[in-house]
mmCIF file of all heavy atoms in Angstrom:
data_model
loop_
_atom_site.group_PDB
_atom_site.id
_atom_site.type_symbol
_atom_site.label_atom_id
_atom_site.label_comp_id
_atom_site.label_asym_id
_atom_site.label_seq_id
_atom_site.Cartn_x
_atom_site.Cartn_y
_atom_site.Cartn_z
ATOM 1 N N ALA A 171 -68.303 30.498 -25.868
ATOM 2 C CA ALA A 171 -68.739 31.970 -25.903
ATOM 3 C C ALA A 171 -68.730 32.421 -24.399
ATOM 4 O O ALA A 171 -68.211 33.545 -24.158
ATOM 5 C CB ALA A 171 -70.155 32.016 -26.428
ATOM 6 N N VAL A 172 -69.283 31.582 -23.559
ATOM 7 C CA VAL A 172 -69.348 31.962 -22.099
ATOM 8 C C VAL A 172 -67.993 32.083 -21.529
ATOM 9 O O VAL A 172 -67.621 33.017 -20.812
ATOM 10 C CB VAL A 172 -70.317 30.964 -21.357
ATOM 11 C CG1 VAL A 172 -70.292 31.399 -19.788
ATOM 12 C CG2 VAL A 172 -71.690 31.094 -21.842
ATOM 13 N N GLN A 173 -67.144 31.149 -21.894
ATOM 14 C CA GLN A 173 -65.715 31.169 -21.418
ATOM 15 C C GLN A 173 -64.984 32.478 -21.992
ATOM 16 O O GLN A 173 -64.248 33.075 -21.147
ATOM 17 C CB GLN A 173 -64.903 29.965 -21.878
ATOM 18 C CG GLN A 173 -65.346 28.744 -21.164
ATOM 19 C CD GLN A 173 -65.008 28.686 -19.691
ATOM 20 O OE1 GLN A 173 -66.010 28.746 -18.977
ATOM 21 N NE2 GLN A 173 -63.828 28.749 -19.240
ATOM 22 N N TYR A 174 -65.311 32.848 -23.115
ATOM 23 C CA TYR A 174 -64.753 33.955 -23.745
ATOM 24 C C TYR A 174 -65.102 35.292 -22.864
ATOM 25 O O TYR A 174 -64.244 36.141 -22.623
ATOM 26 C CB TYR A 174 -65.117 34.283 -25.196
ATOM 27 C CG TYR A 174 -64.476 35.332 -25.879
ATOM 28 C CD1 TYR A 174 -63.322 35.162 -26.510
ATOM 29 C CD2 TYR A 174 -64.982 36.642 -25.749
ATOM 30 C CE1 TYR A 174 -62.609 36.192 -27.105
ATOM 31 C CE2 TYR A 174 -64.351 37.705 -26.424
ATOM 32 C CZ TYR A 174 -63.086 37.503 -27.065
ATOM 33 O OH TYR A 174 -62.433 38.605 -27.543
ATOM 34 N N ILE A 175 -66.361 35.320 -22.541
ATOM 35 C CA ILE A 175 -66.911 36.541 -21.720
ATOM 36 C C ILE A 175 -66.133 36.471 -20.366
ATOM 37 O O ILE A 175 -65.638 37.577 -19.918
ATOM 38 C CB ILE A 175 -68.459 36.437 -21.534
ATOM 39 C CG1 ILE A 175 -69.111 36.543 -22.866
ATOM 40 C CG2 ILE A 175 -68.951 37.386 -20.503
ATOM 41 C CD1 ILE A 175 -70.560 36.197 -22.912
ATOM 42 N N ILE A 176 -66.115 35.343 -19.758
ATOM 43 C CA ILE A 176 -65.440 35.276 -18.399
ATOM 44 C C ILE A 176 -64.021 35.791 -18.478
ATOM 45 O O ILE A 176 -63.613 36.448 -17.627
ATOM 46 C CB ILE A 176 -65.606 33.813 -17.860
ATOM 47 C CG1 ILE A 176 -67.053 33.444 -17.607
ATOM 48 C CG2 ILE A 176 -64.746 33.615 -16.641
ATOM 49 C CD1 ILE A 176 -67.326 32.003 -17.268
ATOM 50 N N GLU A 177 -63.370 35.291 -19.608
ATOM 51 C CA GLU A 177 -61.927 35.590 -19.617
ATOM 52 C C GLU A 177 -61.549 37.053 -20.118
ATOM 53 O O GLU A 177 -60.506 37.618 -19.899
ATOM 54 C CB GLU A 177 -61.156 34.521 -20.528
ATOM 55 C CG GLU A 177 -60.933 33.192 -19.775
ATOM 56 C CD GLU A 177 -60.660 32.155 -20.751
ATOM 57 O OE1 GLU A 177 -60.157 32.323 -21.757
ATOM 58 O OE2 GLU A 177 -60.959 30.990 -20.353
ATOM 59 N N ASN A 178 -62.481 37.619 -20.901
ATOM 60 C CA ASN A 178 -62.258 38.891 -21.574
ATOM 61 C C ASN A 178 -62.989 40.103 -21.179
ATOM 62 O O ASN A 178 -62.701 41.197 -21.500
ATOM 63 C CB ASN A 178 -62.350 38.744 -23.105
ATOM 64 C CG ASN A 178 -61.306 37.793 -23.721
ATOM 65 O OD1 ASN A 178 -60.145 38.023 -23.884
ATOM 66 N ND2 ASN A 178 -61.820 36.530 -23.990
ATOM 67 N N VAL A 179 -64.094 39.967 -20.451
ATOM 68 C CA VAL A 179 -64.922 41.010 -19.946
ATOM 69 C C VAL A 179 -64.698 41.268 -18.448
ATOM 70 O O VAL A 179 -64.939 40.417 -17.640
ATOM 71 C CB VAL A 179 -66.361 40.824 -20.334
ATOM 72 C CG1 VAL A 179 -67.236 41.951 -19.849
ATOM 73 C CG2 VAL A 179 -66.584 40.580 -21.842
ATOM 74 N N ALA A 180 -64.177 42.529 -18.162
ATOM 75 C CA ALA A 180 -64.036 42.900 -16.762
ATOM 76 C C ALA A 180 -65.408 43.050 -16.102
ATOM 77 O O ALA A 180 -66.276 43.360 -16.751
ATOM 78 C CB ALA A 180 -63.262 44.185 -16.683
ATOM 79 N N ASP A 181 -65.391 42.540 -14.811
ATOM 80 C CA ASP A 181 -66.701 42.561 -14.103
ATOM 81 C C ASP A 181 -67.845 41.937 -14.865
ATOM 82 O O ASP A 181 -69.036 42.546 -14.880
ATOM 83 C CB ASP A 181 -67.064 44.069 -13.768
ATOM 84 C CG ASP A 181 -66.005 44.690 -12.819
ATOM 85 O OD1 ASP A 181 -65.407 43.934 -11.987
ATOM 86 O OD2 ASP A 181 -65.755 45.942 -12.906
ATOM 87 N N PHE A 182 -67.661 40.883 -15.484
ATOM 88 C CA PHE A 182 -68.684 40.217 -16.464
ATOM 89 C C PHE A 182 -70.054 40.030 -15.687
ATOM 90 O O PHE A 182 -71.192 39.975 -16.289
ATOM 91 C CB PHE A 182 -68.278 39.034 -17.099
ATOM 92 C CG PHE A 182 -67.824 37.919 -16.212
ATOM 93 C CD1 PHE A 182 -68.711 37.002 -15.699
ATOM 94 C CD2 PHE A 182 -66.516 37.851 -15.768
ATOM 95 C CE1 PHE A 182 -68.324 36.114 -14.860
ATOM 96 C CE2 PHE A 182 -65.987 36.821 -14.921
ATOM 97 C CZ PHE A 182 -66.965 35.921 -14.412
ATOM 98 N N ASN A 183 -69.960 39.850 -14.326
ATOM 99 C CA ASN A 183 -71.134 39.480 -13.682
ATOM 100 C C ASN A 183 -72.117 40.812 -13.443
ATOM 101 O O ASN A 183 -73.233 40.642 -13.156
ATOM 102 C CB ASN A 183 -70.870 38.912 -12.177
ATOM 103 C CG ASN A 183 -70.465 37.472 -12.331
ATOM 104 O OD1 ASN A 183 -71.050 36.817 -13.001
ATOM 105 N ND2 ASN A 183 -69.600 37.000 -11.347
ATOM 106 N N LEU A 184 -71.513 41.940 -13.654
ATOM 107 C CA LEU A 184 -72.308 43.179 -13.606
ATOM 108 C C LEU A 184 -72.705 43.714 -14.865
ATOM 109 O O LEU A 184 -73.415 44.724 -14.965
ATOM 110 C CB LEU A 184 -71.453 44.224 -12.790
ATOM 111 C CG LEU A 184 -70.809 43.741 -11.445
ATOM 112 C CD1 LEU A 184 -69.935 44.784 -10.917
ATOM 113 C CD2 LEU A 184 -71.985 43.521 -10.476
ATOM 114 N N LYS A 185 -72.300 43.088 -15.959
ATOM 115 C CA LYS A 185 -72.684 43.675 -17.305
ATOM 116 C C LYS A 185 -74.040 43.227 -17.769
ATOM 117 O O LYS A 185 -74.545 42.062 -17.416
ATOM 118 C CB LYS A 185 -71.671 43.089 -18.372
ATOM 119 C CG LYS A 185 -70.189 43.574 -18.110
ATOM 120 C CD LYS A 185 -69.943 44.952 -18.228
ATOM 121 C CE LYS A 185 -68.513 45.304 -18.064
ATOM 122 N NZ LYS A 185 -68.231 46.598 -17.637
ATOM 123 N N ASN A 186 -74.710 43.917 -18.783
ATOM 124 C CA ASN A 186 -75.976 43.512 -19.414
ATOM 125 C C ASN A 186 -75.665 42.621 -20.489
ATOM 126 O O ASN A 186 -75.051 43.069 -21.392
ATOM 127 C CB ASN A 186 -76.790 44.686 -19.756
ATOM 128 C CG ASN A 186 -77.181 45.547 -18.580
ATOM 129 O OD1 ASN A 186 -77.420 45.058 -17.550
ATOM 130 N ND2 ASN A 186 -77.452 46.950 -18.790
ATOM 131 N N ILE A 187 -76.174 41.349 -20.483
ATOM 132 C CA ILE A 187 -75.887 40.417 -21.462
ATOM 133 C C ILE A 187 -77.310 40.194 -22.169
ATOM 134 O O ILE A 187 -78.259 39.883 -21.473
ATOM 135 C CB ILE A 187 -75.279 39.091 -20.937
ATOM 136 C CG1 ILE A 187 -73.865 39.315 -20.269
ATOM 137 C CG2 ILE A 187 -75.189 38.007 -22.079
ATOM 138 C CD1 ILE A 187 -73.306 38.187 -19.683
ATOM 139 N N LEU A 188 -77.310 40.294 -23.556
ATOM 140 C CA LEU A 188 -78.508 39.963 -24.274
ATOM 141 C C LEU A 188 -78.225 38.822 -25.042
ATOM 142 O O LEU A 188 -77.314 38.764 -25.893
ATOM 143 C CB LEU A 188 -78.841 41.242 -25.153
ATOM 144 C CG LEU A 188 -80.047 41.091 -26.017
ATOM 145 C CD1 LEU A 188 -81.285 40.853 -25.291
ATOM 146 C CD2 LEU A 188 -80.189 42.428 -26.924
ATOM 147 N N VAL A 189 -79.164 37.720 -25.069
ATOM 148 C CA VAL A 189 -79.065 36.648 -25.941
ATOM 149 C C VAL A 189 -80.171 36.699 -26.962
ATOM 150 O O VAL A 189 -81.427 36.832 -26.569
ATOM 151 C CB VAL A 189 -79.201 35.238 -25.078
ATOM 152 C CG1 VAL A 189 -79.158 34.044 -25.970
ATOM 153 C CG2 VAL A 189 -78.085 35.205 -24.145
ATOM 154 N N TYR A 190 -79.889 36.724 -28.177
ATOM 155 C CA TYR A 190 -80.846 36.940 -29.225
ATOM 156 C C TYR A 190 -80.993 35.594 -29.989
ATOM 157 O O TYR A 190 -79.944 35.190 -30.741
ATOM 158 C CB TYR A 190 -80.522 38.041 -30.152
ATOM 159 C CG TYR A 190 -81.332 38.268 -31.391
ATOM 160 C CD1 TYR A 190 -82.661 38.024 -31.349
ATOM 161 C CD2 TYR A 190 -80.814 38.940 -32.639
ATOM 162 C CE1 TYR A 190 -83.454 38.136 -32.520
ATOM 163 C CE2 TYR A 190 -81.593 39.188 -33.563
ATOM 164 C CZ TYR A 190 -82.940 38.793 -33.523
ATOM 165 O OH TYR A 190 -83.730 38.997 -34.745
ATOM 166 N N GLY A 191 -82.108 34.813 -29.888
ATOM 167 C CA GLY A 191 -82.322 33.541 -30.654
ATOM 168 C C GLY A 191 -82.309 32.454 -29.645
ATOM 169 O O GLY A 191 -81.461 32.360 -28.795
ATOM 170 N N LEU A 192 -83.332 31.599 -29.836
ATOM 171 C CA LEU A 192 -83.378 30.422 -28.886
ATOM 172 C C LEU A 192 -83.456 29.077 -29.593
ATOM 173 O O LEU A 192 -84.227 28.283 -29.161
ATOM 174 C CB LEU A 192 -84.680 30.614 -28.020
ATOM 175 C CG LEU A 192 -84.825 29.892 -26.693
ATOM 176 C CD1 LEU A 192 -83.673 30.151 -25.798
ATOM 177 C CD2 LEU A 192 -86.138 30.108 -25.910
ATOM 178 N N GLY A 193 -82.548 28.933 -30.434
ATOM 179 C CA GLY A 193 -82.382 27.533 -30.992
ATOM 180 C C GLY A 193 -81.657 26.712 -29.998
ATOM 181 O O GLY A 193 -81.521 27.201 -28.846
ATOM 182 N N LYS A 194 -81.178 25.668 -30.486
ATOM 183 C CA LYS A 194 -80.357 24.789 -29.600
ATOM 184 C C LYS A 194 -79.215 25.482 -28.849
ATOM 185 O O LYS A 194 -78.963 25.495 -27.794
ATOM 186 C CB LYS A 194 -79.859 23.487 -30.384
ATOM 187 C CG LYS A 194 -79.528 22.494 -29.471
ATOM 188 C CD LYS A 194 -79.122 21.147 -30.211
ATOM 189 C CE LYS A 194 -78.544 20.079 -29.396
ATOM 190 N NZ LYS A 194 -78.069 18.923 -30.099
ATOM 191 N N MET A 195 -78.502 26.338 -29.808
ATOM 192 C CA MET A 195 -77.329 27.104 -29.292
ATOM 193 C C MET A 195 -77.713 28.104 -28.313
ATOM 194 O O MET A 195 -76.977 28.232 -27.354
ATOM 195 C CB MET A 195 -76.783 27.748 -30.660
ATOM 196 C CG MET A 195 -75.372 28.208 -30.548
ATOM 197 S SD MET A 195 -74.304 26.809 -30.586
ATOM 198 C CE MET A 195 -73.794 26.859 -32.334
ATOM 199 N N GLY A 196 -78.831 28.805 -28.606
ATOM 200 C CA GLY A 196 -79.273 29.864 -27.627
ATOM 201 C C GLY A 196 -79.504 29.306 -26.243
ATOM 202 O O GLY A 196 -79.257 29.860 -25.257
ATOM 203 N N LYS A 197 -80.299 28.084 -26.278
ATOM 204 C CA LYS A 197 -80.708 27.545 -25.007
ATOM 205 C C LYS A 197 -79.430 27.166 -24.291
ATOM 206 O O LYS A 197 -79.327 27.418 -23.069
ATOM 207 C CB LYS A 197 -81.561 26.239 -25.416
ATOM 208 C CG LYS A 197 -83.009 26.475 -25.560
ATOM 209 C CD LYS A 197 -83.681 25.197 -25.905
ATOM 210 C CE LYS A 197 -85.121 25.488 -26.036
ATOM 211 N NZ LYS A 197 -85.819 24.366 -26.813
ATOM 212 N N HIS A 198 -78.462 26.469 -24.954
ATOM 213 C CA HIS A 198 -77.226 26.106 -24.265
ATOM 214 C C HIS A 198 -76.475 27.306 -23.715
ATOM 215 O O HIS A 198 -75.987 27.275 -22.599
ATOM 216 C CB HIS A 198 -76.300 25.335 -25.224
ATOM 217 C CG HIS A 198 -76.652 23.840 -25.424
ATOM 218 N ND1 HIS A 198 -77.064 23.050 -24.336
ATOM 219 C CD2 HIS A 198 -76.916 23.244 -26.491
ATOM 220 C CE1 HIS A 198 -77.228 21.896 -24.802
ATOM 221 N NE2 HIS A 198 -77.273 21.934 -26.083
ATOM 222 N N THR A 199 -76.536 28.435 -24.450
ATOM 223 C CA THR A 199 -75.785 29.634 -23.925
ATOM 224 C C THR A 199 -76.421 30.111 -22.785
ATOM 225 O O THR A 199 -75.743 30.465 -21.792
ATOM 226 C CB THR A 199 -75.804 30.643 -25.136
ATOM 227 O OG1 THR A 199 -75.296 30.054 -26.266
ATOM 228 C CG2 THR A 199 -74.882 31.758 -24.785
ATOM 229 N N CYS A 200 -77.734 30.157 -22.699
ATOM 230 C CA CYS A 200 -78.492 30.640 -21.438
ATOM 231 C C CYS A 200 -78.104 29.817 -20.329
ATOM 232 O O CYS A 200 -77.834 30.233 -19.175
ATOM 233 C CB CYS A 200 -79.946 30.706 -21.835
ATOM 234 S SG CYS A 200 -80.460 31.981 -22.800
#
Side-chain angles (χ1 to χ4, degrees):
V172 175
Q173 288 302 108
Y174 184 89
I175 293 167
I176 291 170
E177 285 165 25
N178 295 283
V179 178
D181 299 327
F182 60 86
N183 280 325
L184 305 172
K185 302 291 190 210
N186 290 332
I187 298 178
L188 177 64
V189 178
Y190 174 31
L192 194 60
K194 197 173 173 187
M195 197 74 95
K197 276 184 183 155
H198 280 310
T199 306
C200 288

